[in-house]
Amino acid sequence: MELKPELCRVDDALEIIVGKWKPIILLILLQDGTKRFSELKRRVPGITQKMLTNQLRELEKEDIIIRKVYPEVPPKVEYSISEYGKSLEPILTAMHEWGTKHTMRKNKVTAE
C-alpha cells in the first residue's frame, strides 16, 4: 500500500492509543490477559482511579478492550483485550522497541 502524506491516518491511530497510561494498560492486557480494575490499578503505578476509569472507557468506546460486569455483590468487573485490540500488539511492540533504542541513543549522545 502506497502511503500518501495528504491521506495520512497516523493521527487517527495515535488519537486512540496516545496518552501516558493507555499503552501501559494495553500491554498489561495483551501480555497478562483479563484483569480486574483493582489489578490494573496496582499494575499502573501513579494512575488515579478517575484516570484509569477514563482511559478504560475511552479504550472500550473504540472497541479495543472489553468490559465484563458480573452480576454479584459487590460488583465484579473485568477488562480484557478485544480481538480487534489484539491487532495493536505489533504496533505497540514496535513502538516499545523503537522507544528503547531511541532512549539508549539519547543516553549515548548525552554521555559523550
Side-chain angles (χ1 to χ4, degrees), residues 11 55 58-59 80 96:
D11 57 334
Q55 301 288 277
E58 289 175 18
L59 290 167
S80 57
H96 169 72

Side-chain angles (χ1 to χ4, degrees), residues 18-82:
V18 163
K20 183 174 182 178
W21 310 109
K22 285 181 185 176
I24 298 167
I25 294 165
L26 290 170
L27 285 170
I28 290 168
L29 294 175
L30 281 164
Q31 290 181 349
D32 299 344
T34 302
K35 295 283 175 227
R36 293 183 69 174
F37 184 90
S38 58
E39 293 173 303
L40 284 170
K41 176 104 171 56
R42 275 194 302 276
R43 292 285 307 274
V44 184
I47 194 169
T48 64
Q49 185 166 334
K50 180 180 178 181
M51 182 57 72
L52 180 56
T53 299
N54 289 341
Q55 301 288 277
L56 290 168
R57 283 183 183 155
E58 289 175 18
L59 290 167
E60 183 184 12
K61 180 182 172 192
E62 297 293 339
D63 298 322
I64 306 296
I65 64 168
I66 298 167
R67 178 178 184 260
K68 184 171 182 180
V69 180
Y70 293 88
E72 53 187 64
V73 178
K76 177 181 172 184
V77 180
E78 291 181 337
Y79 295 90
S80 57
I81 199 87
S82 69

Side-chain angles (χ1 to χ4, degrees), residues 70-100:
Y70 293 88
E72 53 187 64
V73 178
K76 177 181 172 184
V77 180
E78 291 181 337
Y79 295 90
S80 57
I81 199 87
S82 69
E83 281 302 314
Y84 177 62
K86 289 177 184 176
S87 67
L88 286 169
E89 187 167 18
I91 297 164
L92 292 170
T93 299
M95 291 176 75
H96 169 72
E97 290 170 358
W98 186 87
T100 300

